[in-house]
Amino acid sequence: MKKKIAMLLDSEPEWGGQHQYACTLASCMLRLNDVELVGICSNQYWRSWCRKNNVRVLSVRWPVFTERGEKYHLKWSAFSRIYSMHMTEMGKKISEEKIQAVLSAVQGVFIPNFDVKIITPVHDLMHRYEGRFPEVREHYWGREVLFSSVAKYAWCILTDSKIGKEQFKESYSKYISEGHTHIVSLPFVVSEDITTRQEEFIDVPEKYIFYPAQFWKHKNHINLIKAVKLLITDIPEIHLVLVGSEKNCRKGIERYISEHKLSDHITIKGFVSDGNITYLYRHAVGMVMPSYFGPTNIPPLEAMALGCPTAVSNKYAMPEQVGNAGLLFDPDSPEEIAACIKIMWLNESIRQEMIRKGHQIMSKWNIESFAERLQKIVNQI
């Protein structure tokens, strides 16, 4: 008998890595023959995806509570169970449809005490570990309530690495139900079509370093730009290409580039198509990711899959992710970032060795292994 699983799908393409992870989860769920998948969609992107893949969409929305309501649900398990199952449309639909599990494709969803197994990812707890950044500091208590509800009421929590798994246990041990809460490592992998997708030309210099990231402060664009400035004397043709949604800290970054007269060495392309991204990876000298946030990220995997040498921050699980295929640097040091760029820019033999090792690593971090791990989780339902 097939397991009936509802999948909560509410990410947008502009969300970056979180949306890509949601797409990977969704495509892998379609591979599982013993699953009857139904969708809970909140936007046109996922409604179209469901139609394309013959996934029935449920006419119901995930319940939204006030901050006070979330705290009641978190404190009073019995109240949360009765209210959630009998007073919300989602609870009624779970009973009516005989749904055995709900898989949330994204983190950041408040989980009440539904009488069903909840599976949800937790990509990062950086509000605890990197609270100096306003984008997470401002939402500290809201994230605490959300992740506490995950720890208390989710049946299975998907983390991106061993470090991510240990951080969750360390942070929410008082809520985790021993023997009933499964915390597993289900690392990021690149999308199925990343290596077969048709590249689309985008007007950039012939030789460049690439960094795809939203313009959040923790993405650390400024230190990367400082590194480029340091290299101009030795490499006059040095060039950096940046892509990402036109929001957050972009205006400040553009102002910094202008004030330091670096416009001839840095191009910002904004939000671009998947085909453009493929082109930028394949033709770049290397991808440099100075982000402070982890534990891991998707761009290093995409870069290695497409034969693009990679240099990343030496924080959290990022060194583990790239293994011996990537260069590591202290994200607080423009000098170290510049040294890594210089190696990739000037030493073609090292670049080729990085590409070869990157392909070896990607043979392990692939969609097949992701689907196999997901199957094992589903088998336990």
Side-chain angles (χ1 to χ4, degrees):
M1 182 182 294
K2 287 190 174 184
K3 303 174 181 70
K4 195 169 191 178
I5 299 178
M7 193 165 184
L8 178 58
L9 302 161
D10 63 353
S11 62
E12 300 274 4
E14 292 80 8
W15 290 17
Q18 188 170 186
H19 176 72
Q20 292 175 53
Y21 190 81
C23 291
T24 300
L25 277 174
S27 65
C28 285
M29 288 299 293
L30 291 177
R31 291 169 172 241
L32 308 186
N33 295 323
D34 58 342
V35 168
E36 178 187 347
L37 189 65
V38 293
I40 305 169
C41 305
S42 63
N43 59 51
Q44 186 56 45
Y45 177 92
W46 284 111
R47 283 191 286 271
S48 297
W49 181 90
C50 287
R51 284 196 299 271
K52 179 181 177 181
N53 293 285
N54 297 315
V55 174
R56 183 166 60 91
V57 176
L58 300 181
S59 57
V60 65
R61 290 184 176 274
W62 194 260
V64 177
F65 304 104
T66 63
E67 183 179 338
R68 185 180 180 184
E70 288 180 351
K71 290 178 179 178
Y72 271 122
H73 280 270
L74 186 58
K75 186 175 182 180
W76 307 107
S77 298
F79 158 79
S80 180
R81 187 183 187 89
I82 294 169
Y83 182 89
S84 300
M85 290 306 299
H86 300 288
M87 303 296 289
T88 69
E89 290 300 315
M90 188 70 242
K92 294 174 183 176
K93 185 64 71 172
I94 286 172
S95 297
E96 175 189 328
E97 293 271 349
K98 294 182 172 57
I99 292 169
Q100 294 168 269
V102 175
L103 169 59
S104 175
V106 296
Q107 70 169 19
V109 176
F110 180 82
I111 307 293
N113 190 11
F114 282 122
D115 187 20
V116 68
K117 291 177 177 176
I118 304 290
I119 307 168
T120 184
V122 173
H123 300 308
D124 73 79
L125 301 175
M126 293 297 113
H127 67 292
R128 279 180 168 250
Y129 295 91
E130 295 286 352
R132 57 189 165 135
F133 293 101
E135 51 263 38
V136 289
R137 184 176 63 245
E138 293 170 1
H139 305 288
Y140 182 91
W141 292 111
R143 286 169 68 94
E144 278 296 283
V145 172
L146 286 173
F147 292 128
S148 296
S149 76
V150 168
K152 189 169 185 177
Y153 295 131
W155 169 71
C156 185
I157 298 157
L158 311 177
T159 61
D160 71 335
S161 60
K162 293 177 182 177
I163 289 178
K165 182 176 178 178
E166 292 308 312
Q167 285 181 342
F168 194 87
K169 288 180 177 179
E170 176 183 77
S171 299
Y172 301 105
S173 57
K174 71 175 183 178
Y175 289 109
I176 295 171
S177 175
E178 291 296 332
H180 297 284
T181 305
H182 304 273
I183 306 174
V184 302
S185 177
L186 190 65
F188 291 126
V189 294
V190 295
S191 61
E192 280 185 286
D193 65 338
I194 189 71
T195 56
T196 58
R197 182 190 299 147
Q198 186 69 36
E199 65 180 45
E200 298 173 16
F201 173 80
I202 184 169
D203 187 19
V204 292
E206 184 176 348
K207 197 172 182 180
Y208 58 90
I209 292 293
F210 181 43
Y211 183 28
Q214 307 282 16
F215 291 96
W216 295 109
K217 193 170 183 179
H218 73 266
K219 295 296 186 180
N220 199 21
H221 289 82
I222 296 300
N223 277 343
L224 176 55
I225 292 167
K226 288 179 179 178
V228 169
K229 186 177 181 182
L230 289 173
L231 289 166
I232 291 175
T233 301
D234 293 336
I235 310 175
E237 73 277 18
I238 190 72
H239 203 94
L240 169 66
V241 175
L242 304 173
V243 300
S245 297
E246 300 180 15
K247 55 183 178 180
N248 311 322
C249 303
R250 174 169 169 169
K251 288 185 178 179
I253 291 167
E254 289 175 331
R255 185 165 55 250
Y256 186 92
I257 293 169
S258 177
E259 289 173 352
H260 290 82
K261 298 179 174 56
L262 294 170
S263 299
D264 291 340
H265 297 278
I266 300 170
T267 298
I268 298 180
K269 284 295 185 179
F271 184 77
V272 299
S273 71
D274 289 342
N276 290 152
I277 291 287
T278 297
Y279 179 94
L280 289 167
Y281 276 126
R282 283 182 172 158
H283 296 272
V285 170
M287 194 283 293
V288 184
M289 187 157 201
S291 176
Y292 288 102
F293 279 19
T296 60
N297 293 284
I298 291 178
L301 299 178
E302 293 180 325
M304 289 188 290
L306 291 170
C308 179
T310 304
V312 301
S313 299
N314 60 2
K315 295 173 70 68
Y316 302 112
M318 287 182 264
E320 173 192 341
Q321 188 178 34
V322 300
N324 63 359
L327 302 177
L328 304 177
F329 54 76
D330 178 353
D332 286 316
S333 172
E335 292 78 13
E336 287 192 22
I337 300 172
C340 289
I341 294 173
K342 193 171 184 178
I343 290 171
M344 292 190 292
W345 196 278
L346 299 178
N347 197 317
E348 185 60 26
S349 63
I350 291 179
R351 279 190 75 254
Q352 292 303 318
E353 182 67 7
M354 292 172 69
I355 291 171
R356 183 184 68 80
K357 291 178 178 177
H359 285 313
Q360 289 178 346
I361 288 175
M362 290 311 299
S363 67
K364 303 174 185 176
W365 301 78
N366 56 41
I367 199 76
E368 286 75 21
S369 62
F370 188 99
E372 287 173 9
R373 294 185 189 189
L374 190 59
Q375 179 72 74
K376 290 178 181 178
I377 293 167
V378 170
N379 288 346
Q380 296 179 57
I381 295 175

